């Protein structure tokens, strides 16, 4: 029976299990109950055993939801090993009044299913299970299946793999926490921007002072802060911090209309920045003011503001060193003296970007597999987001090729209200991952024979 026919016969069961899993509010954030996370863990373990996996272990780390590590031995001593990654925790639902149906009541939509976490990342957990079922629990490669339970909030697991490299040793890995640029368009993600945070503060007065009596001479902390923040971008909206890397982007990307719709840009409002969208979103820097402390408009007094603070999120080129990128932003801000006033700049967390090699046998096998799964030519994209664990896994298995693809698509509303997954994407992702294992096993045998 053809692979696609086998997967078609599995779809009803995969959808039913996806509904079971997405009905569990497995939010591993502070302030949310731990029981649903454990419930989701237990269901995934049950499903792995049901798919023929004999060895399923639980990895417990401090302050971290349990990580599932399952192993399927290679069918022959010379077969390669592939690591499959996903996560069973989800984002909080946010404002539930913005949802068209309760976020943890899986609801049919045209061609798919709506629920929190259904795309990010529970559909991809079901992709791995679908591949196991398609092969009757005996795939053509050895498998290490890693499913974590606290990816969305972050945990001690991000840095764990390099401390236990034998557990994560593999010849290739499929990180299924991403998806296609658009539905029906097979996509390999070949870059992840890095991230850093910086807090900038201004303190000028002991307390607020009457704006009529003192305004015009008394140093206004909020004005000084705004003047400093305005130097971070040029007149076009491009980042103006010297030394932050920006390269031309040659991969696939959104059309402007697609991006405006995805971002919810209001009619008549222009996009910021210049150059291609790929440069602005993937291979160049972005600085966002993600928070600001200042008097609110509704409770504002007629007074000179004595203190203001802003938190900045910096995204930078996948290959730029995170500390170097953060230092460039800090140095830029510290060099400023808006109205002669010094700023206090405090660096926060950083996370490296990632850019895998794309010229090895696993990538060649993946291109064949994605064509089989979706029936069209794959494209390459980079992501403005970041997945910190990818770097940990890559350090644990430095010779393994890293593939990033899955059942999501950029229109699935991940982290937003009304998140959904399309069954067509789920089906194609299962076929593609199963075909990848077959093709990679075959190329490995040819390589050994050569």
């Amino acid at each position: 029976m053809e692979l696609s026919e086998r997967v078609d016969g599995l779809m009803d069961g995969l959808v039913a299990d996806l509904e079971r899993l997405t009905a569990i509010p497995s939010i591993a954030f502070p302030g949310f109950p731990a029981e649903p996370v454990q419930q989701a863990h237990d269901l995934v373990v049950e499903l792995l055993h049901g798919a023929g996996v004999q060895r399923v272990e639980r990895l417990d780390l401090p302050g971290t939801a349990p990580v599932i590590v399952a192993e399927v031995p290679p069918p022959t001593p010379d077969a390669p090993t592939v690591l499959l990654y996903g996560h069973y925790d989800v984002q909080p639902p946010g404002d539930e009044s913005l949802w068209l149906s309760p976020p943890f009541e899986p609801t049919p939509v045209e061609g798919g299913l709506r629920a929190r976490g259904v795309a990010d990342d529970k559909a991809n957990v079901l992709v791995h299970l679908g591949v196991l079922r398609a092969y009757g629990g005996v795939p053509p490669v050895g498998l290490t299946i890693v499913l974590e339970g606290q990816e969305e909030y972050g945990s001690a697991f991000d840095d764990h793999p390099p401390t236990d490299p034998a557990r994560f040793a593999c010849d290739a890995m499929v990180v299924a926490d991403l998806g296609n640029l658009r539905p029906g368009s097979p996509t390999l993600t070949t870059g992840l921007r890095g991230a850093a945070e910086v807090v900038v503060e201004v303190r000028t007065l002991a307390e607020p002072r009457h704006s009529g009596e003192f305004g015009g001479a008394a140093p206004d902390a909020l004005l000084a802060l705004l003047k400093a923040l305005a130097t971070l971008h040029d007149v076009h909206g491009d980042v103006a911090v010297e030394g932050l890397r920006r390269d031309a982007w040659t991969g696939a990307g959104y059309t402007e209309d697609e991006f405006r719709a995805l971002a919810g840009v209001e009619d008549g409002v222009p996009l910021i920045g210049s150059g291609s969208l790929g440069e602005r979103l993937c291979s160049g820097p972005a600085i966002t003011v993600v928070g600001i402390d200042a008097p609110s408009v509704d409770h504002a007094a007629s007074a000179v503001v004595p203190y203001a603070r802003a938190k900045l999120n910096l995204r930078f080129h996948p290959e730029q060193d995170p500390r170097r990128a953060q230092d460039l932003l800090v140095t830029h801000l510290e060099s400023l003296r808006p109205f002669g006033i010094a700023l206090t700049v405090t660096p926060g967390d950083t996370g490296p970007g990632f850019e895998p090699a794309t010229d090895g046998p696993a990538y060649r096998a993946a291109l064949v597999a994605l064509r089989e799964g979706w029936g069209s030519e794959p494209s390459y994209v980079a992501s403005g987001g970041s997945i910190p664990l990818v770097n940990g896994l890559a350090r644990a298995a430095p010779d393994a090729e890293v593939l990033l693809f899955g059942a999501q698509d950029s229109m699935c509303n991940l982290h937003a209200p009304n998140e959904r997954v399309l069954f067509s994407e789920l089906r194609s992702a299962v076929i593609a991952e199963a075909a990848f294992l077959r093709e990679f096993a075959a190329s490995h045998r040819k390589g050994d024979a050569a």
Side-chain angles (χ1 to χ4, degrees), residues 178-190:
L178 294 130
N180 292 335
L181 185 66
R182 55 185 66 87
S185 300
T187 306
L188 281 167
T189 297
T190 57

Side-chain angles (χ1 to χ4, degrees), residues 87-125:
H87 63 88
Y88 62 87
D89 65 304
V90 302
Q91 281 280 324
D95 184 351
E96 294 193 26
S97 69
L98 299 177
W99 285 76
L100 299 175
S101 55
F104 294 104
E105 291 183 14
T107 302
V109 297
E110 184 177 358
L113 193 69
R114 179 172 59 233
R116 168 54 86 225
V118 69
D120 181 21
D121 188 47
K122 291 179 177 178
N124 286 318
V125 173

Side-chain angles (χ1 to χ4, degrees), residues 215-421:
D220 187 313
L222 183 54
L223 282 178
L225 177 63
L226 294 175
K227 188 173 180 65
L229 296 179
T231 70
L232 298 176
H233 297 83
D234 66 16
V235 66
H236 304 293
D238 293 316
V239 171
V241 175
E242 187 175 352
L244 289 175
R245 180 173 170 181
R246 175 170 171 162
D247 292 347
W249 176 246
T250 58
Y254 302 114
T255 67
E256 182 169 325
D257 287 344
E258 283 178 327
F259 181 78
R260 292 180 68 88
L262 287 169
V265 180
E266 297 286 349
D267 291 342
V269 177
L271 304 185
I272 67 170
S274 62
S276 73
L277 279 174
E279 288 180 37
R280 284 179 272 174
L281 300 173
C282 304
S283 59
I287 299 174
T288 305
V289 181
V290 295
I292 192 162
D293 291 336
S296 69
V297 171
D298 290 341
H299 299 93
S302 297
V304 179
V305 176
Y307 173 77
R309 179 175 67 155
K311 185 175 185 178
L312 309 180
N313 179 265
L314 167 66
R315 301 289 171 148
F316 49 86
H317 189 282
E319 292 187 335
Q320 187 153 34
D321 178 80
R323 290 296 180 189
R324 170 65 175 158
Q326 185 184 58
D327 287 347
L328 289 168
L329 177 55
V330 169
T331 299
H332 175 96
L333 291 166
E334 288 180 338
S335 71
L336 303 175
R337 292 292 186 274
F339 310 121
I341 299 166
L343 309 175
T344 299
V345 185
T346 305
D349 293 337
T350 64
F354 185 74
E355 193 164 73
T358 59
D359 56 356
Y363 261 83
R364 291 191 290 272
L367 291 173
V368 173
L370 267 67
R371 288 188 201 104
E372 183 171 340
W374 275 274
S376 58
E377 194 67 24
S379 60
Y380 293 105
V381 300
S383 171
S386 56
I387 306 176
L389 180 67
V390 171
N391 292 278
L393 289 171
R395 291 197 305 274
D399 296 326
E401 293 182 72
V402 181
L403 306 166
L404 298 101
F405 68 92
Q408 300 172 18
D409 66 83
S410 61
M411 303 170 187
C412 68
N413 290 336
L414 76 165
H415 293 208
N418 302 308
E419 181 178 351
R420 65 99 180 103
V421 74

